[in-house]
Amino acid sequence: MALTADLSCGNLGQVHRIDNRISARGQIRPAGQPSRRRQSLVIDMSRRWSMAIEAAWRQNDLEVIDFGDPLGEFGASGEVKTTSLSLNGVYQFRPERAIRPYLRAGFGLARISFEATTLGERYLDDEDDAPAFQLIGGANIALTERLDFVAELRTWYAHDIEVVRPDGRPDTTWHWVHSAQLGLRYAL
């Protein structure tokens, strides 16, 4: 059994596509690159199978709320903040090679906070806990016996987020993140 620590911070080497939907009334689109921090602890169960416990934090600024037809898009400001804790299963395809592709799938719990203003009025200011799921494909590339370069693609999805608008009307939304990430992984 081995432990591996994984730390990712900031925007370096990350490309994100975020999709937040506020029921049928509006789609919130972020502006620019998000802030993101992720830490995970991986426990090797065998040469091919591992379990990973992961804590993550994301923050995105908002730019547009799309209300669809016939209203269209409106400029917006605000942010979406997410903290999550997940448990992942990891399968490594070629553990004996210097380049080791892997698949990672997991589930957990996320707390998502929305603050959005459009047309000079507060549209949403609430948070909720929701189940979250993720699927990751990537590769570890050995640099030394303990240090790996990591490249991965990830999709992360939280659903059934129940929020209440400032006027008291309830909304159900979801939060979907696609990202590409480069980083380092160190075996303890």
Side-chain angles (χ1 to χ4, degrees):
M1 180 183 294
L3 295 178
T4 304
D6 185 359
L7 174 62
S8 172
C9 297
N11 296 328
L12 183 61
Q14 297 181 37
V15 177
H16 287 260
R17 178 182 175 274
I18 315 295
D19 201 353
N20 302 299
R21 292 196 187 271
I22 305 295
S23 77
R25 291 190 196 92
Q27 173 184 352
I28 296 178
R29 257 187 290 184
Q33 290 291 318
S35 296
R36 181 171 201 266
R37 288 170 181 72
R38 179 175 59 88
Q39 297 178 337
S40 63
L41 182 63
V42 180
I43 301 169
D44 292 335
M45 310 304 275
S46 69
R47 291 194 71 203
R48 292 189 183 269
W49 288 98
S50 302
M51 294 299 294
I53 299 168
E54 179 179 286
W57 173 83
R58 291 178 193 85
Q59 178 178 337
N60 304 91
D61 293 328
L62 299 177
E63 175 178 75
V64 172
I65 298 179
D66 184 0
F67 292 94
D69 289 332
L71 298 175
E73 295 182 349
F74 292 92
S77 62
E79 62 187 8
V80 178
K81 293 180 184 177
T82 306
T83 55
S84 62
L85 183 64
S86 61
L87 180 64
N88 301 292
V90 183
Y91 181 78
Q92 205 149 249
F93 289 98
R94 298 177 176 210
E96 70 284 348
R97 303 251 173 118
I99 299 175
R100 300 178 306 280
Y102 61 88
L103 279 179
R104 192 173 184 172
F107 65 93
L109 187 64
R111 171 159 288 215
I112 298 118
S113 171
F114 294 93
E115 291 180 20
T117 301
T118 187
L119 301 174
E121 292 187 26
R122 178 69 72 183
Y123 176 71
L124 189 60
D125 188 2
D126 200 9
E127 66 183 13
D128 190 28
D129 296 332
F133 308 91
Q134 65 182 349
L135 183 61
I136 303 160
N140 294 323
I141 301 168
L143 299 176
T144 69
E145 188 175 311
R146 295 191 176 271
L147 184 65
D148 289 343
F149 173 77
V150 179
E152 66 183 27
L153 298 173
R154 170 185 303 246
T155 187
W156 182 93
Y157 177 73
H159 67 95
D160 291 337
I161 305 165
E162 297 177 2
V163 291
V164 177
R165 293 181 43 189
D167 62 8
R169 288 186 288 170
D171 265 324
T172 301
T173 185
W174 48 275
H175 185 53
W176 198 349
V177 178
H178 305 285
S179 63
Q181 188 166 329
L182 305 174
L184 295 173
R185 185 168 290 144
Y186 185 77
L188 303 174

